[in-house]
């Protein structure tokens, strides 16, 4: 119990100290961000928030400035050692609108926030772990490194990748990774036919390649790192970042993911601000969801309608339950759940 | 059935054979597709293979016959059950009972599955009531990670329970997760 008190206090002190204001947005909403594999839970005609992202960006559109929230979020059918259908997400945005023209900070400041939040929670929790039976508290990450996702994928798969390849160019790789991941087709089953729209085919192929590759190659790669090293994976293909801004002159998106001790903790973007592009990306993901037979989700019209007012900003979300579990040296989220 | 209904002990029909999920892990890379990484055991040959399904896939449940039995005794290598109506006895090898052995107490009612007339596995009731044989004393609030402590029940199974639980208390336990549900008066 005291661990949660210490962790929540550490997160709030860290983000308030960095000049962010705390907000609390509605849990039941009309629409959630349309993601390929995140399923909302419905609640009396509305949806439980899968993330406070859309609501917080709307506050930014209205001039709220830099802000954070420790939100309860809900994702259907995610149940496992490190997944729960309800969990705490620390979500924060840094308004970069007042930067001098031409200065593009991008995601660097929020990557810095991730490192400081992780350090603050480990530090806040450590004395409690030490008090309790004299167990040695787990080591926080002592240093952080960055690794380019597409380069690492190319390296581990033995084929250099740019991140923008069309579906048929990565078809053979996908076959190999499926095999390695233990995905098989039964007799009479056929692989689903690739859709004709090349953008949709690319989205499907990259999403599947990334999901299986993460399991077969990224997780073992992270596990083999020396202890005490945190990793920020950067350089995601645009196909894997539905709400992130495209990097200038590149097919990559300004998205990062942070891992500590093999656990994916945080995910952040330099936020996309173009309503037309945002709608097109949501529509493409909706088309992908219908290929997979997933239920249609309402278009977040209120969010798209205000998006042209979004100041340049970068934001991130960090799974607090996972961070608390790591800081306590626990493998499973239910070991640190209060009830 | 949809792959999201997969859980440990789910019975599946694959290539005309009954398989049971013996180990089950859900993983999901950041904003990627969820993977259900399973070990599945052929309920006839006992062979175990790794198999991964992805969110959105559809599976067929195996159609196996199920009848009610009571647990009688175990020799370690095998477990003997009796049909509650006909008093006919059947034996299951320990391999087929697996982890469920920790919930097998005298006279526990279970469903035994047979495939083409051969007993191939058992299904426990979703909850069982067991009594605490041993547990650490717990002091309110004196805990770092949560309001729980370890306890052992009559079959030797160990689980996490709230601090107020004492030796002799009867606990309702969820057999699918192995977790404490509540204290019951009995």
């Amino acid at each position: 119990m005291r661990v949660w008190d210490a962790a929540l206090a550490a997160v709030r002190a860290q983000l308030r100290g960095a000049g962010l204001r705390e907000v609390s947005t509605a849990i039941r909403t009309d629409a959630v961000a349309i993601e390929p594999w995140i399923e909302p839970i419905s609640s009396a005609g509305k949806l439980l928030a899968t993330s406070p992202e859309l609501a917080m960006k709307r506050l930014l559109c209205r001039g709220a400035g830099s802000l954070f929230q420790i939100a309860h979020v809900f994702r259907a059918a995610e149940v496992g050692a490190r997944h729960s259908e309800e969990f705490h997400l620390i979500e924060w945005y840094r308004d970069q609108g007042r930067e001098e023209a031409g200065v593009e900070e991008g995601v660097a400041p929020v990557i810095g926030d991730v490192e400081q939040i992780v350090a603050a929670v480990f530090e806040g929790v450590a004395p409690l772990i030490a008090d309790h039976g004299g167990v040695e508290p787990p080591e926080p990450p002592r240093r952080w490194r960055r690794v380019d996702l597409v380069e690492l994928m190319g390296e581990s798969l033995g084929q250099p990748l740019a991140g923008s390849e069309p579906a048929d160019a990565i078809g053979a790789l996908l076959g190999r990774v499926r095999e390695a991941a233990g995905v098989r087709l039964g007799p009479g089953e056929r692989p689903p036919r690739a859709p004709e729209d090349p953008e949709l085919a690319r989205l499907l192929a990259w999403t599947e390649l990334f999901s299986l590759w993460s399991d077969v190659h990224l997780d073992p790669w992270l596990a083999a790192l020396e202890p005490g090293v945190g990793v920020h994976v950067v350089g995601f293909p645009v196909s894997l970042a539905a709400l992130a801004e495209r990097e200038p002159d590149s097919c990559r998106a300004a998205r990062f993911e942070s891992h500590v001790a093999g656990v994916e903790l945080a995910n952040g973007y330099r936020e996309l601000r173009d309503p037309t592009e945002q709608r097109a990306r949501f529509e493409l993901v909706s088309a992908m969801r219908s290929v997979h037979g997933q239920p249609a989700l309402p278009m977040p019209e209120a969010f798209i309608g205000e998006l042209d007012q979004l100041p340049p900003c970068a934001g991130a979300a960090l799974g607090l339950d996972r961070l608390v579990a790591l800081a306590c040296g626990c493998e499973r989220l239910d070991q640190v759940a209060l009830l | 059935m949809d792959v999201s209904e997969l859980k440990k002990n789910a019975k599946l029909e694959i290539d005309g054979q009954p398989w049971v999920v013996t180990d089950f892990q859900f993983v999901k890379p950041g904003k990627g597709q969820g993977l259900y990484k399973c070990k599945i055991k052929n309920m006839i040959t006992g062979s175990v293979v790794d198999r991964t399904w992805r969110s959105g896939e559809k599976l067929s449940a195996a159609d196996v016959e199920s009848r009610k039995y009571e647990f009688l005794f175990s020799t370690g290598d095998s477990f003997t059950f009796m049909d509650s109506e006909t008093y006919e006895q059947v034996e299951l090898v320990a391999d087929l009972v697996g982890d469920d052995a920790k919930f097998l107490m005298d006279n526990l009612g279970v469903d035994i599955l047979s495939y083409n007339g051969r007993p191939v596995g058992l299904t426990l009731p979703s909850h069982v009531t067991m009594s605490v044989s041993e547990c650490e004393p717990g002091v309110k609030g004196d805990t770092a990670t949560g309001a729980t402590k370890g306890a052992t029940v009559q079959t030797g199974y160990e689980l996490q329970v709230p601090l107020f639980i004492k030796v002799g208390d009867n606990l309702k336990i969820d057999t699918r997760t192995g977790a404490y549900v509540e204290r019951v008066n009995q």
Side-chain angles (χ1 to χ4, degrees):
Chain A
M1 281 182 238
R2 287 180 292 151
V3 160
W4 276 94
D5 181 47
L8 288 164
V11 171
R12 290 201 161 100
Q14 186 59 46
L15 289 169
R16 287 201 178 124
L20 281 70
R21 192 175 296 139
E22 182 166 4
V23 295
S24 178
T25 56
I27 287 177
R28 292 173 67 242
T29 61
D30 292 319
V32 299
I34 304 176
E35 301 266 7
W37 297 108
I38 296 181
E39 295 308 308
I41 296 176
S42 46
S43 161
K46 293 206 172 206
L47 299 173
L48 297 181
T50 52
S51 143
E53 177 161 9
L54 303 188
M56 291 177 75
K57 284 188 186 169
R58 287 173 67 192
L59 293 176
L60 279 150
C61 291
R62 297 175 188 192
S66 299
L67 35 84
F68 79 98
Q69 174 163 201
I70 302 175
H72 283 261
V73 297
F74 303 83
R75 298 179 181 182
E78 297 195 7
V79 181
R82 288 186 187 133
H83 288 86
S84 169
E85 287 190 312
E86 174 176 359
F87 60 99
H88 299 82
L89 208 52
I90 310 167
E91 180 106 7
W92 71 99
Y93 293 88
R94 282 180 174 266
D95 183 339
Q96 297 169 327
R98 270 170 255 109
E99 301 306 321
E100 287 170 40
V103 178
E104 288 288 319
E105 281 190 296
V107 293
V110 277
I111 287 184
D113 291 333
V114 169
E115 296 179 6
Q116 290 184 356
I117 291 171
V118 170
V121 169
F122 268 84
E123 194 184 325
V125 165
L128 302 176
I129 304 286
D131 275 358
H132 187 74
V135 187
E136 198 61 31
E139 283 277 311
R142 286 184 304 274
R143 65 186 180 87
W144 291 82
R145 57 181 281 193
R146 290 191 194 189
V147 53
D148 183 284
L149 174 75
V150 176
E151 276 173 27
L152 186 63
M153 283 176 96
E155 230 168 78
S156 58
L157 295 168
Q159 176 179 330
L161 291 167
S164 58
E165 283 83 355
D168 51 7
I170 56 171
L173 275 187
L174 199 46
R176 269 172 35 210
V177 179
R178 272 192 202 126
E179 184 71 25
V183 172
R184 287 188 207 92
L185 295 172
E189 272 183 86
R190 282 166 204 278
R193 211 155 49 89
E196 277 169 23
D197 175 353
E199 284 302 316
L200 179 56
R202 191 208 319 260
L203 176 63
L204 281 162
W206 274 96
T207 306
E208 184 180 356
L209 183 66
F210 171 68
S211 303
L212 296 176
W213 171 83
S214 292
D215 183 49
V216 177
H217 294 285
L218 179 60
D219 291 348
W221 184 84
L222 290 167
L225 289 176
E226 57 180 304
V229 178
V231 177
H232 302 296
V233 180
V234 297
F236 280 74
V238 173
S239 300
L240 296 175
L243 291 94
E245 203 164 54
R246 190 181 283 266
E247 297 279 20
D249 65 48
S250 160
C251 55
R252 308 295 194 79
R255 170 180 173 191
F256 71 93
E257 223 179 58
S258 305
H259 298 254
V260 172
V263 178
E264 180 210 332
L265 269 188
N267 179 72
Y269 298 141
R270 169 106 173 149
E271 306 298 338
L272 179 62
R273 296 187 295 137
D274 176 345
T276 312
E277 166 121 17
Q278 183 67 78
R279 181 184 295 277
R281 290 202 203 164
F282 279 153
E283 281 169 354
L284 194 62
V285 173
S286 290
M288 171 172 172
R289 291 177 55 89
S290 83
V291 169
H292 284 293
Q294 292 166 291
L297 292 176
M299 185 60 69
E301 293 293 350
F303 164 69
I304 294 175
E306 290 186 61
L307 190 56
D308 62 347
Q309 299 298 312
L310 189 68
C313 62
L318 188 152
L320 181 57
D321 308 69
R322 288 187 185 174
L323 177 53
V324 169
L326 273 178
C328 293
C330 293
E331 286 281 316
R332 302 181 54 91
L333 298 186
D334 57 12
Q335 291 171 297
V336 293
L338 280 181
L339 273 178
Chain B
M1 65 189 259
D2 188 84
V3 68
S4 63
E5 295 165 50
L6 262 189
K7 54 185 180 221
K8 224 168 151 177
N9 290 328
K11 304 334 186 252
L12 306 171
E13 182 151 310
I14 303 168
D15 305 346
Q17 297 259 317
W19 294 79
V20 59
V21 177
T22 56
D23 200 12
F24 167 87
Q25 200 192 353
F26 175 74
V27 298
K28 189 167 184 289
K31 297 187 184 264
Q33 187 171 14
L35 300 179
Y36 296 82
K37 300 171 69 175
C38 301
K39 281 194 194 308
I40 54 173
K41 182 158 72 175
N42 187 307
M43 292 167 74
I44 295 172
T45 64
S47 70
V48 177
V49 298
D50 290 323
R51 180 83 193 246
T52 298
W53 284 279
R54 293 164 298 168
S55 292
E57 290 195 76
K58 300 277 180 266
L59 305 168
S60 330
D63 190 12
V64 282
E65 195 200 358
S66 160
R67 280 164 69 183
K68 300 227 168 292
Y69 285 82
E70 274 174 37
F71 174 61
L72 291 183
F73 59 88
S74 158
T75 61
D77 299 332
S78 73
F79 292 78
T80 300
F81 301 84
M82 181 179 70
D83 185 315
S84 322
E85 284 166 16
T86 65
Y87 306 111
E88 178 200 349
Q89 291 189 8
V90 296
E91 219 174 67
L92 276 180
V93 292
D95 235 18
L96 289 171
V97 175
D99 247 10
D100 286 347
K102 62 178 181 254
F103 298 115
L104 286 178
M105 45 187 180
D106 293 351
N107 306 110
L108 180 71
V110 300
D111 289 322
I112 292 202
L113 293 157
S114 51
Y115 188 75
N116 292 339
R118 253 171 84 183
V120 289
L122 79 141
T123 307
L124 296 168
S126 62
H127 296 92
V128 292
T129 299
M130 301 176 98
S131 67
V132 175
S133 54
E134 239 175 84
C135 70
E136 304 162 15
V139 180
K140 205 169 188 178
D142 177 24
T143 166
T145 56
T148 62
K149 61 178 180 179
T152 307
V153 291
Q154 72 223 61
T155 57
Y157 172 54
E158 285 173 39
L159 74 166
Q160 290 291 309
V161 299
L163 300 178
F164 58 79
I165 295 297
K166 303 180 301 291
V167 169
D169 280 350
N170 287 309
L171 311 182
K172 184 171 169 185
I173 298 169
D174 185 324
T175 58
R176 288 160 301 188
T177 60
Y180 165 88
V181 179
E182 61 184 355
R183 180 168 62 177
V184 292
N185 297 319
Q186 209 181 48

